């Protein structure tokens, strides 16, 4: 089998095999620069990354030559889900470092790794935390060209989020990729660094573009000026005031690159009023994933500060103003894109909201329903109106009405109608 695979592989140029392996293992929007468009969805990609990993392993097992040729694809993205995954990677990297790798004469596969996702469940009593930290530190040090690092650690055995503090050794290991690191994601509530250690780390990452954290404690919502020149996207779940924090001076003299702000539900504290006052004028993208019914005043304050806002995504229970009274008074900015995440929706509510947008947001070019289940529910429910009337109402808007994948909703209505008629 190995001889046959080697013989077949030699018939084609290496460039052809590279193209084949690239197509077979590609995960859309998983790497720089495409990932910048989906930087708030890193956790949603874990199942896809896991499926791609299975494909990569199968390719590497064909023969020795394929193992060598696929190495860069096998290790380009690394997903650590269990202590066993971590141990296997630790042993592989250590073997190559000592000259005992399975591909003799080959440099460490860690040179190819661009993305690292750690989803270890530290609540598992079978996992030795001290050993995990030791292995994880070694692994990160052995991946010197990381561009994306994500720690999605579930809540620990502790009674409070943040019970487990990220050890200083892991943070020092991240500094090995200081110049290449573009995205740093601490979306989990645990294994989070201490505040002063986080600030020190961020100061050492000159090219960081996207930062996601469970919580931040920068005084008055003022970001340290020495990371403003590179950071373009900030995503937080909570903002905690820090007494005695000196804040940052020279804010107006700093070069501010921040353009996108993402706010998630579930974190402590409220959005500091000083944050939109200082940074609203720079923002062109806002994604608001909190409960709109309770946090609309914060959102309204933010939107009024964002004179240059172009894209807005918000979470709502429904588009019915009787359920969400603030919808009657919320002043949508002059944006070209509006995306909504919903829990319930009917065509009647949708038509009323689209009419509201036609009258209040003349600059709008795209309105998008973000949730696949909502789109499916809308198309599969008993039709309140005829298909012709639905399509007419959707197409009379001066902007596109899209589903979660960017397709025209009116097109899906026609298809759904034909399917129901055929059945």
């Amino acid at each position: 089998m190995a001889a046959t695979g080697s013989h077949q592989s030699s018939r084609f140029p290496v460039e052809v095999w590279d193209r084949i392996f690239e197509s077979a293992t590609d995960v859309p929007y998983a790497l720089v620069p495409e990932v910048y468009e989906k930087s708030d969805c890193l956790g949603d990609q874990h199942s896809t990354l896991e499926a791609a990993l299975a494909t990569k392993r199968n390719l590497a097992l064909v023969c020795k030559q394929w193992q060598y040729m696929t190495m860069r694809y096998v290790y380009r993205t690394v997903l650590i889900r269990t202590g066993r995954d971590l141990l296997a990677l630790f042993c592989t990297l250590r073997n190559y470092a000592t000259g005992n790798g399975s591909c003799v004469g080959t440099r460490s596969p860690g040179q190819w790794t661009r993305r690292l996702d750690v989803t270890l469940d530290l609540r598992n009593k079978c996992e030795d935390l001290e050993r995990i930290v030791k292995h994880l530190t070694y692994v990160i040090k052995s991946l010197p060209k990381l561009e994306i690092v994500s720690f999605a650690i579930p809540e620990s055995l502790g009674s409070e989020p943040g019970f487990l503090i990220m050890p200083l050794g892991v943070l020092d290991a991240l500094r090995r990729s200081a110049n290449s690191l573009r995205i740093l994601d601490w979306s989990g509530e645990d294994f989070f660094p201490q505040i002063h250690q986080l600030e020190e780390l961020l100061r050492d990452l000159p090219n960081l573009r996207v930062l996601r954290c469970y919580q931040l404690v920068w005084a008055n919502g003022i970001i340290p000026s020495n990371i403003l020149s590179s950071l373009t996207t900030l995503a937080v779940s909570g903002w905690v005031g820090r007494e005695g924090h000196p804040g940052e001076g020279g804010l107006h003299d700093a070069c501010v690159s921040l353009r996108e702000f993402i706010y998630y539900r579930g974190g402590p504290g409220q959005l500091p009023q000083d944050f939109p006052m200082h940074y609203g004028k720079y923002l062109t993208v806002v994604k608001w994933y909190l409960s709109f019914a309770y946090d609309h005043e914060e959102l309204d304050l933010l939107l009024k500060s964002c004179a240059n806002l172009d894209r807005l995504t918000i979470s709502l229970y429904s588009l019915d103003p009787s359920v969400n009274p603030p919808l009657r008074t919320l002043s949508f900015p002059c944006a070209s894109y509006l995306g909504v995440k919903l829990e319930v929706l009917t065509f009647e509510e949708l038509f009323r909201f689209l009419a509201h947008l036609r009258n209040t947001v003349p600059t709008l070019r795209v309105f998008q329903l973000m949730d696949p289940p909502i789109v499916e529910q809308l198309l599969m429910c008993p039709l309140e109106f005829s298909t012709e009337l639905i399509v007419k109402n959707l197409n009379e808007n001066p902007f596109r009405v899209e589903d979660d994948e960017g397709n025209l909703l009116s097109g899906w209505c026609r298809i759904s109608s034909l399917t129901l008629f055929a059945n």
Side-chain angles (χ1 to χ4, degrees):
M1 173 98 178
T4 302
S6 178
H7 176 68
Q8 294 292 337
S9 299
S10 63
R11 294 182 179 181
F12 299 99
V14 174
E15 293 79 9
V16 174
W17 286 112
D18 283 342
R19 188 67 178 269
I20 293 173
F21 296 142
E22 180 77 43
S23 299
T25 61
D26 179 59
V27 176
Y29 301 103
L31 296 171
V32 172
E34 292 82 5
V35 70
Y36 293 139
E37 299 180 35
K38 303 282 186 178
S39 58
D40 59 327
C41 302
L42 294 181
D44 298 336
Q45 297 176 332
H46 288 162
S47 59
T48 309
L49 291 173
E50 189 170 353
L53 178 60
T55 301
K56 295 173 185 178
R57 285 173 174 166
N58 290 335
L59 293 173
L61 290 173
V62 170
C63 63
K64 275 289 186 180
Q65 187 175 4
W66 278 36
Q67 180 185 7
Y68 171 75
M69 290 194 299
T70 60
M71 183 179 291
R72 69 176 65 186
Y73 304 101
V74 172
Y75 289 94
R76 182 177 290 175
T77 59
V78 171
L79 175 62
I80 300 176
R81 301 153 298 179
T82 65
R84 180 177 297 180
D85 292 341
L86 179 59
L87 178 60
L89 182 59
F90 166 78
C91 291
T92 298
L93 294 172
R94 186 182 58 180
N95 287 340
Y96 274 94
T98 56
N100 297 313
S102 56
C103 291
V104 180
T106 305
R107 294 170 58 194
S108 171
Q111 66 175 312
W112 302 113
T113 306
R114 298 296 179 265
R115 172 170 174 169
L116 172 65
D117 291 75
V118 183
T119 62
L120 283 166
D121 188 350
L122 300 180
R123 296 170 297 183
N124 188 341
K125 294 182 179 180
C126 297
E127 306 285 14
D128 185 306
L129 182 59
E130 184 177 350
R131 185 178 68 245
I132 283 177
V133 170
K134 175 184 175 182
H135 291 169
L136 184 60
T137 301
Y138 183 89
V139 165
I140 295 177
K141 284 182 178 179
S142 303
L143 310 177
K145 298 180 181 179
L146 285 170
E147 296 175 345
I148 305 167
V149 175
S150 174
F151 295 100
I153 308 294
E155 292 183 27
S156 70
L157 291 173
S159 58
E160 298 290 337
F163 179 79
L164 287 178
I165 302 298
M166 177 166 284
L168 188 59
V170 179
L171 297 176
D172 286 339
L174 285 172
R175 289 182 168 89
R176 294 288 185 96
S177 298
N179 291 324
S180 61
L181 200 58
R182 299 295 188 272
I183 297 179
L184 187 54
D185 174 20
W186 266 296
S187 54
E189 298 180 8
D190 244 316
F191 216 51
F192 193 77
Q194 293 183 339
I195 299 307
H196 68 281
Q197 293 176 349
L198 173 62
E199 292 181 1
E200 291 172 0
L201 174 64
L202 294 176
R203 289 186 173 99
D204 293 337
L205 305 178
N207 299 309
L208 188 69
R209 290 189 53 174
V210 179
L211 173 64
R212 179 179 177 183
C213 290
Y214 170 68
Q215 67 180 36
L216 290 177
V217 294
W218 291 328
N220 303 318
I222 300 178
I223 304 172
S225 56
N226 54 1
I227 72 166
L228 283 175
S229 60
S230 64
L231 195 68
T232 61
T233 299
L234 175 64
V236 296
S237 295
W239 215 305
V240 179
R242 180 181 177 187
E243 296 199 7
H245 191 288
E248 289 287 335
L251 178 69
H252 300 291
D253 297 328
C255 176
V256 179
S257 297
L258 189 66
R259 296 296 179 267
E260 180 177 14
F261 179 63
I262 306 171
Y263 210 19
Y264 295 91
R265 63 169 59 89
Q270 293 182 326
L271 180 70
Q273 293 188 5
D274 285 349
F275 178 82
M277 179 181 70
H278 289 305
Y279 303 108
K281 61 185 177 181
Y282 300 107
L283 298 178
T284 59
V285 180
V286 170
K287 297 177 182 178
W288 194 266
Y289 295 137
L290 278 77
S291 173
F292 177 78
Y294 300 102
D295 300 288
H296 65 275
E297 293 182 357
E298 289 183 343
L299 175 59
D300 195 34
L301 172 65
L302 180 62
L303 296 182
K304 288 178 179 178
S305 305
C306 300
N308 299 309
L309 192 61
D310 182 61
R311 297 176 64 87
L312 172 65
T313 301
I314 56 176
S315 292
L316 304 168
Y317 177 76
S318 80
L319 295 178
D320 185 351
S322 65
V323 177
N324 281 317
L327 271 178
R328 303 177 188 272
T329 57
L330 183 66
S331 176
F332 287 96
C334 295
S336 67
Y337 170 89
L338 174 62
V340 294
K341 296 176 70 68
L342 299 164
E343 296 185 32
V344 296
L345 180 65
T346 65
F347 273 114
E348 183 178 2
E349 295 168 358
L350 177 60
F351 293 158
R352 288 179 179 175
F353 192 68
L354 294 179
H356 171 69
L357 294 178
R358 287 198 300 270
N359 295 328
T360 57
V361 192
T363 57
L364 193 64
R365 294 294 175 265
V366 175
F367 172 80
Q368 186 174 26
L369 300 174
M370 305 291 293
D371 300 280
I374 288 296
V375 175
E376 294 175 8
Q377 172 190 326
L378 187 68
L379 297 179
M380 296 304 294
C381 68
L383 295 180
E384 308 163 66
F385 307 95
S386 67
T387 302
E388 291 77 12
L389 183 59
I390 292 174
V391 173
K392 178 178 179 296
N393 273 275
L394 292 175
N395 287 338
E396 71 179 1
N397 298 292
F399 46 83
R400 288 173 58 91
V401 181
E402 298 180 347
D403 67 3
D404 55 291
E405 295 182 348
N407 303 305
L408 281 173
L409 192 61
S410 57
W412 280 115
C413 289
R414 290 193 180 96
I415 294 174
S416 179
S417 176
L418 290 173
T419 302
L420 289 173
F421 181 77
N423 293 335

